[in-house]
Amino acid sequence: EALPGTVECFNQLVQAGKRIVILSNTSRRAASAVGKLPGMGFDVKAVTALVSSGEEAWRHLAAKRRGQRCTVLTWQREALEGDSYIAGLDLTVSAIAEADFILCHGTEVIWEGEGRTRAVSYMRTGDIGDYSEVLERGVERGLEMVVCNPDLRVSLPDGTAGYMPGGVAQRYEMMGGAVTWFGKPYKRHFDACLHHIGSHIPRDRVIHVGDSIEHDVKGATGAAID
């Protein structure tokens, strides 16, 4: 569901004739994320573009990691239900001992190849322990971690906290691992948004609307956007 007041704000901007680009930290690709909008009450036809951290990460993988091996930290649907984010990248999902990099996409399972998944409790508990072996071996082997969703936590429908990929990546970085981040608050995510708005529009004519100090306000400030 959309946050209270979000759809009303969106509709007012549309009625005022403003160009709108949705900037999201979802680990989904852009087309998949757009498909969720009507059910949340948004008019897709009024959106110039949707820029998702998942899409930006996918494009990075297509350019830099195509054909390689990776251990995937992901959502259950990716590993078990065939809704595969890595489709089209020619990646081979493998154990950490054989991986070329770690893909941090979700926080429900560790996926190490066909039929090799391990459920983790992190999404509900915030306990990083289930990831210890993967993170330690990744650091030992000097593996890059690519992060599709930099959020640390979200509020779940039942009112509890859900712990997200950004927290896992943050721990990996603290352990000395190399992390490539996509999404808010990183400047290149906002730059991708501005590309869709048009280079002829100066940054001081762009505003960012969001609800997070650590992602929205920090990111917009770093990108010189109000």
Side-chain angles (χ1 to χ4, degrees):
E1 296 181 1
L3 292 172
T6 305
V7 175
E8 291 79 5
C9 176
F10 175 88
N11 290 337
Q12 288 178 17
L13 292 171
V14 172
Q15 291 170 8
K18 305 304 179 184
R19 188 173 302 176
I20 299 173
V21 176
I22 295 178
L23 190 60
S24 172
N25 274 359
T26 180
S27 54
R28 293 178 180 273
R29 294 197 64 189
S32 175
V34 167
K36 295 284 186 179
L37 294 179
M40 299 170 67
F42 295 98
D43 180 5
V44 174
K45 295 179 181 178
V47 177
T48 298
L50 186 148
V51 178
S52 72
S53 52
E55 181 69 29
E56 296 302 304
W58 192 94
R59 292 176 181 273
H60 167 81
L61 295 172
K64 304 291 186 180
R65 293 289 187 175
R66 188 177 292 278
Q68 295 188 5
R69 295 168 298 182
C70 63
T71 295
V72 185
L73 316 181
T74 190
W75 306 113
Q76 187 175 23
R77 67 174 184 266
E78 296 294 335
L80 303 179
E81 299 174 11
D83 178 23
S84 183
Y85 171 80
I86 64 174
L89 293 173
D90 300 320
L91 295 176
T92 299
V93 181
S94 68
I96 191 66
E98 304 162 352
D100 297 308
F101 70 100
I102 301 170
L103 178 59
C104 189
H105 180 264
T107 54
E108 291 177 335
V109 298
I110 299 172
W111 186 15
E112 298 180 291
E114 185 174 352
R116 299 172 62 188
T117 62
R118 287 184 282 151
V120 296
S121 63
Y122 182 79
M123 200 268 199
R124 285 287 183 177
T125 67
D127 183 357
I128 205 77
D130 290 335
Y131 291 115
S132 294
E133 179 184 357
V134 167
L135 300 185
E136 289 169 3
R137 290 298 305 277
V139 172
E140 288 174 3
R141 298 190 59 229
L143 302 184
E144 175 195 30
M145 176 182 283
V146 177
V147 186
C148 302
N149 181 333
D151 285 349
L152 302 177
R153 66 193 68 82
V154 296
S155 294
L156 299 175
D158 64 4
T160 61
Y163 296 88
M164 302 298 283
V168 180
Q170 192 175 68
R171 175 60 66 91
Y172 190 66
E173 204 166 50
M174 290 172 63
M175 292 169 64
V179 177
T180 300
W181 297 86
F182 291 90
K184 301 175 290 185
Y186 300 96
K187 182 176 179 294
R188 62 178 158 191
H189 201 45
F190 287 82
D191 288 343
C193 174
L194 293 171
H195 171 76
H196 289 286
I197 293 174
S199 59
H200 62 288
I201 298 178
R203 289 177 187 247
D204 61 6
R205 298 294 300 166
V206 179
I207 62 169
H208 177 69
V209 180
D211 69 323
S212 168
I213 295 294
E214 61 189 358
H215 293 112
D216 293 296
V217 175
K218 180 179 178 181
T221 301
I225 298 172
D226 287 338

